[in-house]
Amino acid sequence: MTHSHPGTALITGASSGIGAVYADRLARRGYNLILVARNRARLNALAERITTQTRQAVEVLEADLGAAASLARVEAKLREDASITLLVNNAGVGTHTPLLESDIGSMTAMIDLNVTAPTRLTYAVAPAFVARGRGAIINIASIVSIAPELLNGVYGGSKAYMHAFSQSLHHELGAKGVRVQAVLPGATATDFWATGGLPVEQLDQAIVMSAEQLVDAALVGFDRGELITIPSLHAGEDWEAYEAARQKMLPHLSSNTPAPRYLAAR
Ligand code: NAP
């Protein structure tokens, strides 16, 4: 493989929605694909269409990323297949259900899929990317990573994890040739909403983007080398101000003295 070939992209949650659009767009950019999800029939249909349209090689890997054994198979693939140059951590579920109406079993299952799986997949591939001095990781977070009040709190927390993990990955691995991007979609018209119990048709359509627009915009951000991409935020300067405020605080967040406002009144 020469460096002009983009290599192979492994995309989780490729059987529908945002992941399926990434599959289409990355194949059109010349990537070969490894598509991961549970629904083999949908993965096969997508693989067939993409191969016919682009002539790229497409492999299907049926796996439940919430189950340790099948997650381990995907980890092994990432460790062993040296053609892989891009990991898209996209598979995820969410809900709008408040804490008092949520079942703890489904909350921890969401953490398994949204947090544990992308963490394990990243740990599987990162050493190989660093050894080759080349590779990229796209993490699909969400705007709820900075606005956890909007939906279920465990979902927001899982996406805040992806956001923070991406910042740290960039900090640790950016200089070692690993590109990292966290994408923060707003409401996007996919099965996500119906699966989570609130059909997307019930949302104000002024806040809902198509999955195609979302992925195309996110890839513009990727091409620009952005670490955080928020396709629906029109006022980009608001994000810059938010990030500048965070950077300004960083050197002052730890101190041997409590801030004066916390000194107990005598
Ligand atoms: P989607 O159409 O429901 O896609 C979810 C994908 O994840 C499917 O391919 C599904 O495939 C896969 N998946 C679910 N459980 C899985 C499991 N246990 N193991 C392996 N794969 C599994 O929804 P989407 O909107 O495209 O979601 C993609 C990502 O975008 C998620 O991380 C979501 O949190 C994020 N996001 C979505 C929105 C939105 O408004 N839609 C907004 C912000 C962020 P199978 O069912 O075949 O396994």
Side-chain angles (χ1 to χ4, degrees):
M1 191 176 66
T2 69
H3 265 218
S4 59
H5 189 283
T8 299
L10 187 146
I11 306 166
T12 69
S15 64
S16 68
I18 293 168
V21 179
Y22 265 106
D24 176 83
R25 300 307 196 256
L26 293 173
R28 290 178 196 282
R29 287 175 171 226
Y31 283 89
N32 294 325
L33 302 177
I34 302 170
L35 307 179
V36 181
R38 293 167 303 179
N39 190 323
R40 176 179 282 279
R42 288 177 84 161
L43 289 175
N44 282 342
L46 180 66
E48 202 176 307
R49 177 173 70 72
I50 290 177
T51 315
T52 308
Q53 290 176 350
T54 67
R55 313 313 309 166
Q56 296 303 132
V58 185
E59 188 179 334
V60 162
L61 207 54
E62 179 189 334
D64 179 352
L65 297 174
S70 53
L71 176 57
R73 281 194 288 113
V74 184
E75 290 173 59
K77 183 77 181 168
L78 286 164
R79 273 193 299 269
E80 290 156 17
D81 186 338
S83 76
I84 296 172
T85 54
L86 171 61
L87 167 64
V88 184
N89 278 316
N90 164 76
V93 289
T95 178
H96 64 291
T97 322
L99 184 146
L100 295 179
E101 291 159 34
S102 304
D103 154 60
I104 185 62
S106 53
M107 294 296 105
T108 54
M110 179 158 64
I111 295 169
D112 289 345
L113 180 64
N114 292 11
V115 175
T116 305
T119 304
R120 294 198 67 99
L121 298 180
T122 300
Y123 267 71
V125 84
F129 283 173
V130 170
R132 287 181 230 127
R134 177 183 185 227
I137 300 172
I138 297 176
N139 288 326
I140 306 303
S142 166
I143 57 157
V144 300
S145 69
I146 54 171
E149 298 90 343
L150 291 180
L151 296 174
N152 169 275
V154 177
Y155 178 61
S158 75
K159 293 304 182 177
Y161 173 86
M162 286 298 267
H163 186 151
F165 187 46
S166 302
Q167 287 170 307
S168 171
L169 282 172
H170 169 70
H171 175 71
E172 289 193 22
L173 305 183
K176 300 184 193 302
V178 183
R179 274 272 294 117
V180 179
Q181 181 195 28
V183 178
L184 278 54
T188 310
T190 70
D191 295 346
F192 170 89
W193 291 93
T195 307
L198 177 65
V200 72
E201 294 74 21
Q202 291 180 20
L203 300 182
D204 173 359
Q205 294 306 300
I207 65 157
V208 180
M209 191 179 286
S210 75
E212 289 77 10
Q213 285 177 304
L214 182 273
V215 173
D216 287 337
L219 285 169
V220 170
F222 183 74
D223 292 340
R224 289 198 183 136
E226 285 185 359
L227 168 57
I228 307 290
T229 297
I230 312 178
S232 50
L233 182 68
H234 285 232
E237 65 276 14
D238 286 356
W239 169 257
E240 278 159 29
Y242 180 96
E243 177 60 12
R246 192 182 75 86
Q247 293 288 348
K248 181 166 169 282
M249 272 192 302
L250 288 188
H252 310 294
L253 287 171
S254 197
S255 167
N256 59 3
T257 327
R261 69 184 179 283
Y262 296 119
L263 295 180
R266 288 170 198 265

